[in-house]
């Protein structure tokens, strides 16, 4: 580099710093919000607020920066847009670096950089943004399940309104190895949230510049101050004692504790052992306190303290729209024991089930899991996941469960296998449905209720990654001139055979707060040209928070005969919708369509409706109408049509899932897949 070049570069540095400082001052709120949403969700809101401010303040050139930001090139001109993009990339690079773990770093521990810079520092206060509504909470939970680059891309696209090319460029400048994949993940989040994404991101829930304050534990601070003079002696004595004691899981006194618990361990509610057999409310309120450590006051106090104010490093998870607010006075103890190398405590507060896990080693963080449980019943309060290790899990069954078995939902002809259950109701470790990989096995629990509350009642529940397994049911085909059928337990041969053809889609519902899944076979249609028989089904997943989603499926006898595994050939999806009331007791009428190709090569548009449909019409590039519940008409493969039905009372009915979920819309049709 020549002397003149060095002089020009040196002379331009103050100007660059001034412009960078102007960008930070002008864009401070936006940059802090971006950093706050990009930082690891495992951090508490207090720590994320401080870290977000620190990252933006230290983005100014001249601070000691990490390699992630030092490699971002400076703008070549004094253009304000380039300066803003440069500072945005520096903030992003620093925020994304907080989630990266060194090679060999344990995955269960928070990243070493998650502690954030030294400044700003707040003593004696905890900072957190003002609380939003249920939609903001749901968005926060959705963002916690995606990667940091995807969160950043979602904010840049939905809040800042940047085009895809600029978002990809900013992520690439910030060191993201695959920015296109991050943008695709952000698009999936935007599809799930809908058009309100920008408004939700602007809400006070995610504004780290307008915060509330509250004090830390005042009594604990006072005790620490008064005992400060003997801290060295106590530490030495503790070290001597700890080296001679073999601590049990969760008993290490060096474990960080939360703040002062909202309620005392002595105030926990405990149901009597036989309450479930003498009540009309058979749900979690009838569970007695079980486990060998229900009398361990120290463990219960730590669990309640962590729930009230999680200490640093605690892993907190919550299903969508589930709050993590402190325990109320009417909190019930369900279970406390050592399972799978950690101390586990289960609580119920009338609206939520809360699991506290405390590993044996103090270097491993404790965990909290919150899940909705309001309006539970005999089936949805029948079991809770207590421990997970790899692809296996252990469950605590309800006191009214007389027998527990397991079966593979993809093998309806195979018998169920009995499970070993302890006297406390804890099952042996069993296979749980996998979140990824080939769908070649789908284990579920086959439970039977005690005759003391209901006779001959057996049912299936599936573990979808939440605390409470989802109840599986089946509604068979309507009979001629018979009343409308209600959902039944999916334990009969016909129900098991139907579920075997539709079970693989359950993996799409994992960790979404699903309460129950019902498969409704609403129509059976004879295919043209003696093509056999087709069954139309609507699989509805109902969540604890209320909304549900549906999948419309179409399966033919030919699909089964052409498969070497005839009983598990998965039915084709012809439509989907959500959130919707379709296929529930508030949406009993449905019409759907599918494309199908006969053996002769002729292509057909098929449509079928539920029992109250009296006429089906097709308009668009194909016009047809027919009385009754079924329609079959020759149609080109790529013909764009609209299918509607008329009910017995004259009301018109639109096709369910005609447009599909946003981003999963119709494409080119293939035989039987129903897309157009």
């Amino acid at each position: 580099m020549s002397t003149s070049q060095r002089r020009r570069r040196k002379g331009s540095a103050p100007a660059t710093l001034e412009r960078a400082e102007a960008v930070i001052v002008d864009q401070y709120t936006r940059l802090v919000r971006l950093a706050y949403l990009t930082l690891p969700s495992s951090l508490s809101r207090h720590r994320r607020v401080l870290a977000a401010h620190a990252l933006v303040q230290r983005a100014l050139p001249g601070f000691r920066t990490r390699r992630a930001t030092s490699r971002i090139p400076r703008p070549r001109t004094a253009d304000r847009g380039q300066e803003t993009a440069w500072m945005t990339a520096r903030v992003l690079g620093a925020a994304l670096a907080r989630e990266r773990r060194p090679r060999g770093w344990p995955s269960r521990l928070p990243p070493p950089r998650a502690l954030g810079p030294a400044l700003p520092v707040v003593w004696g206060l905890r900072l957190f943004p003002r609380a939003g509504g249920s939609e903001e909470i749901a968005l926060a939970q959705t963002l916690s399940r995606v990667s940091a680059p995807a969160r950043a891309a979602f904010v840049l696209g939905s809040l800042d309104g940047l085009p895809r090319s600029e978002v990809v460029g900013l992520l690439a400048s910030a060191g993201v190895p695959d920015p296109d994949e991050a943008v695709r993940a952000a698009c999936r989040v935007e599809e799930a949230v809908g058009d309100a994404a920008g408004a939700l991101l602007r809400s006070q829930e995610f504004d780290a510049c307008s915060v509330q304050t509250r004090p830390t534990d005042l009594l604990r601070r006072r005790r620490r101050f008064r005992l400060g003079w003997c801290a060295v002696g106590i530490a030495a004595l503790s070290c001597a004692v700890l080296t001679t004691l073999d601590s049990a899981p969760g008993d290490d006194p060096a474990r960080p504790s939360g703040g002062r618990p909202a309620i005392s361990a002595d105030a926990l509610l405990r149901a009597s052992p036989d309450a479930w057999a003498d009540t009309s409310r058979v749900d979690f309120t009838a569970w007695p306190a079980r486990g060998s450590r229900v009398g361990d006051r120290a463990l219960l106090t730590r669990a309640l303290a962590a729930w009230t104010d999680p200490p640093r490093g605690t892993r907190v998870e919550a299903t969508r729209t589930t709050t993590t607010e402190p325990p109320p006075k009417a909190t019930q103890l369900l279970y406390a024991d050592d399972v799978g190398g950690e101390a586990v405590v289960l609580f119920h507060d009338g609206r939520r089930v809360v699991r506290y896990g405390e590993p044996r080693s103090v270097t491993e963080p404790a965990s909290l899991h919150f899940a909705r449980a309001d309006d539970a019943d005999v089936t949805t309060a029948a079991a809770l996941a207590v421990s997970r290790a790899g692809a296996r899990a252990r469950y605590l069954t309800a006191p009214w469960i007389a027998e527990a078995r397991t079966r593979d939902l993809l093998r309806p002809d195979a018998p169920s296998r009995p499970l070993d259950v302890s006297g406390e109701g804890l099952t042996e470790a069993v296979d749980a449905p996998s979140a990824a990989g080939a769908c070649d096995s789908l284990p579920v629990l086959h439970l039977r209720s005690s005759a003391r509350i209901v006779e001959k009642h057996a049912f299936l529940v599936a573990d979808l990654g939440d605390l409470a397994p989802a109840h599986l049911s089946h509604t068979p085909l309507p009979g001629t001139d018979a009343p409308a059928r209600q959902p039944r337990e999916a334990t009969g041969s016909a129900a098991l055979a139907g579920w075997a053809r539709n079970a693989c889609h359950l993996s799409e519902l994992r960790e979404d707060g699903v309460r129950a899944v019902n498969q409704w076979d609403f129509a059976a249609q004879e295919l043209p040209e003696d093509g056999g028989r087709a069954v139309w089904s609507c699989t509805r997943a109902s969540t604890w928070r209320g909304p549900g989603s549906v999948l419309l499926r179409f399966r033919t006898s030919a699909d089964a005969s052409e498969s070497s595994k005839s009983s598990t050939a998965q039915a084709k999806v012809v439509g989907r919708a959500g959130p919707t009331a379709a296929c529930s007791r508030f949406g009993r009428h449905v019409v759907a369509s599918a494309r199908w190709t006969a053996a002769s090569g002729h292509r057909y548009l098929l449509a079928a409706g539920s029992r109250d449909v009296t006429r089906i019409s097709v308009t668009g590039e194909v016009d047809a109408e027919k009385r009754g519940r079924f329609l079959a008409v020759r149609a080109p493969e790529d013909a764009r049509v609209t299918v509607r039905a008329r009910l017995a009372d004259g009301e018109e009915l639109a096709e369910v899932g005609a447009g599909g979920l946003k981003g999963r819309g119709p494409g080119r049709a293939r035989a039987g897949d129903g897309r157009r």
Side-chain angles (χ1 to χ4, degrees):
M1 181 182 295
S2 66
T3 303
S4 61
Q5 288 176 325
R6 285 196 297 269
R7 288 175 179 173
R8 285 196 301 268
R9 181 172 180 178
K10 183 177 180 180
S12 64
T16 302
L17 288 175
E18 290 176 1
R19 292 194 299 269
E21 183 181 15
V23 170
I24 290 180
V25 173
D26 184 52
Q27 304 280 332
Y28 189 78
T29 300
R30 183 186 73 86
L31 293 174
V32 170
R33 191 189 301 263
L34 174 63
Y36 179 79
L37 288 165
T38 305
L39 284 166
S41 56
S42 57
L43 293 176
S44 66
R45 292 190 295 171
H46 170 77
R47 297 178 61 77
R48 287 170 67 190
V49 167
L50 293 181
H53 284 272
L55 291 177
V56 175
Q57 294 172 17
R58 294 172 66 87
L60 189 68
F63 277 99
R64 184 181 177 183
T65 59
R66 299 183 185 275
R67 185 172 57 182
T69 58
S70 61
R71 291 184 175 182
I72 300 174
R74 294 189 178 189
R76 298 180 179 179
T77 65
D79 181 71
R80 183 58 179 265
Q82 291 188 17
E83 295 282 354
T84 301
W86 179 43
M87 296 306 300
T88 301
R90 288 179 63 86
V91 172
L92 274 181
L96 293 172
R98 303 292 167 187
E99 203 166 59
R100 296 173 186 146
R101 289 175 168 83
R103 181 177 300 177
W105 188 265
S107 60
R108 297 188 63 180
L109 293 181
R113 298 173 180 173
L115 300 180
L119 294 175
V121 175
V122 176
W123 293 96
L125 289 175
R126 295 187 67 83
L127 310 179
F128 52 94
R130 298 180 181 275
S134 60
E135 293 181 336
E136 287 83 355
I137 295 174
L139 175 58
Q141 294 300 323
T142 301
L143 292 176
S144 68
R145 291 192 288 267
V146 299
S147 65
R151 293 195 297 270
F154 177 69
V155 176
L156 293 171
S158 299
L159 183 61
D160 297 345
L162 299 182
R164 180 190 180 100
S165 59
E166 291 189 24
V167 175
V168 171
L170 281 173
L171 294 177
S173 299
V176 176
D178 190 356
D180 290 312
E181 173 57 31
V183 172
R184 287 192 292 270
C187 290
R188 290 193 291 269
V189 174
E190 186 174 5
E191 292 164 5
V193 176
D195 297 335
L200 293 177
L201 288 174
R202 294 185 187 93
S203 69
Q204 58 187 9
E205 174 78 19
F206 308 111
D207 187 359
C209 290
S210 299
V211 297
Q212 297 184 95
T213 63
R214 70 178 182 187
T216 56
D217 192 336
L218 299 177
L219 292 179
R220 184 170 60 180
R221 285 163 53 190
R222 180 173 178 268
R223 287 194 299 267
R224 287 178 175 176
F225 179 78
R226 294 183 63 182
L227 297 178
W229 60 272
C230 59
V232 176
I234 292 176
L237 180 61
S238 299
C239 291
V241 173
L242 287 174
T243 55
T244 60
L245 294 180
D246 182 18
S247 61
D251 281 342
D252 198 323
R255 174 172 296 281
S257 61
R260 183 182 180 87
I263 63 172
S264 168
D266 299 329
L268 289 170
L269 302 180
R270 303 175 187 233
S272 63
D274 294 326
W276 61 272
D278 191 25
T279 180
S280 60
R281 183 178 176 181
V282 185
D283 57 13
F284 289 113
T285 61
W287 279 41
R290 291 175 287 175
S292 63
R293 302 189 68 177
V294 293
D296 190 337
R297 192 175 186 278
L299 172 63
L300 300 181
T301 299
R302 290 197 300 273
L304 291 170
W307 180 358
T308 303
D309 185 11
R312 185 175 62 190
T314 303
R315 294 182 292 111
V316 180
E317 301 178 20
T319 56
R320 291 179 61 185
T321 71
T322 305
T323 66
T324 58
E325 61 188 22
K329 293 182 179 180
T331 299
Q332 178 184 352
L333 177 63
L334 303 181
Y335 183 77
D337 210 335
D338 298 325
V339 184
E342 65 176 352
V344 176
V345 184
L346 296 176
F347 300 105
H348 176 246
D349 67 356
R351 298 178 297 112
R352 301 168 295 175
V353 171
V354 181
R355 180 191 182 275
Y356 171 76
E358 190 178 272
R360 178 189 301 269
S361 172
V362 295
T363 62
E364 299 184 49
S367 62
L368 283 167
H369 193 161
F370 298 82
R372 291 276 293 270
D374 40 328
D375 296 325
D377 56 22
V378 174
T379 57
T380 53
L384 289 174
V386 174
S387 173
R388 301 184 191 275
R392 297 175 69 80
R394 300 184 70 179
Y395 305 92
L396 182 67
T397 58
W400 57 83
I401 296 302
E403 182 183 21
R405 307 175 72 88
T406 183
R407 69 175 310 122
D408 189 346
L409 204 56
L410 296 181
R411 291 166 177 79
D413 298 328
S416 59
R417 180 181 68 84
L419 288 178
D420 289 335
V421 183
S422 70
E424 301 285 354
L426 187 66
T427 70
E428 61 177 303
V430 297
D431 293 334
S434 174
C439 182
D440 52 11
S441 176
L442 209 156
V444 296
L445 294 179
H446 189 152
L447 307 176
R448 180 174 61 84
S449 301
S450 169
R452 296 176 65 182
I453 59 171
V454 59
E455 294 184 357
K456 299 179 180 179
H457 179 229
F459 55 96
L460 301 183
V461 293
D463 187 346
L464 300 182
D466 296 317
L467 286 180
H471 177 217
L472 304 183
S473 58
H474 175 253
T475 304
L477 287 166
T480 305
D481 298 328
R485 299 191 176 186
Q486 299 297 320
R488 304 178 180 181
E489 300 301 348
T491 53
S493 57
L496 291 173
W499 261 111
R501 300 284 301 277
N502 295 278
C504 286
H505 88 283
L506 289 175
S507 61
E508 302 177 12
L509 306 175
R510 290 187 61 83
E511 299 180 356
D512 196 34
V514 173
R515 171 179 180 162
V517 187
N518 178 58
Q519 179 186 298
W520 173 29
D521 293 335
F522 64 88
Q525 180 179 14
E526 298 298 327
L527 298 174
E529 302 184 21
D530 295 326
R533 187 171 184 257
V535 175
W536 299 78
S537 64
C538 179
T539 305
R540 176 179 176 82
S542 300
T543 62
W544 288 97
R545 59 189 180 274
S549 60
V550 297
L551 281 180
L552 280 299
R553 290 179 176 267
F554 172 85
R555 64 182 189 268
T556 68
S557 53
D559 292 336
S561 62
E562 292 173 2
S563 174
S564 60
K565 297 180 180 180
S566 60
S567 62
T568 60
Q570 295 298 293
K572 299 177 179 65
V573 176
V574 300
R576 61 176 79 213
T580 178
C583 306
S584 71
R585 61 193 180 103
F586 302 108
R588 298 175 180 271
H589 310 302
V590 60
V591 62
S593 68
R595 302 302 178 94
W596 178 77
T597 303
S600 63
H602 295 153
R603 294 186 172 91
Y604 287 86
L605 171 67
L606 306 178
S610 52
R611 60 184 293 119
D612 285 344
V613 169
T614 60
R615 184 183 297 273
I616 297 178
S617 62
V618 178
T619 57
E621 296 181 10
V622 175
D623 289 316
E625 186 174 11
K626 187 175 181 181
R627 293 180 61 85
R629 298 172 52 206
F630 305 104
L631 179 145
V633 59
R634 294 271 294 273
E637 181 181 10
D638 56 354
R640 301 186 66 83
V641 298
T642 300
V643 177
R644 300 187 69 84
R646 185 175 295 276
L647 302 178
D649 60 3
E651 181 183 353
E652 283 199 354
L653 182 68
E655 180 182 4
V656 174
L661 288 176
K662 185 179 178 182
R664 301 181 183 178
R668 286 188 54 118
R670 295 182 179 272
D673 69 359
R675 296 181 297 174
R676 56 192 176 282

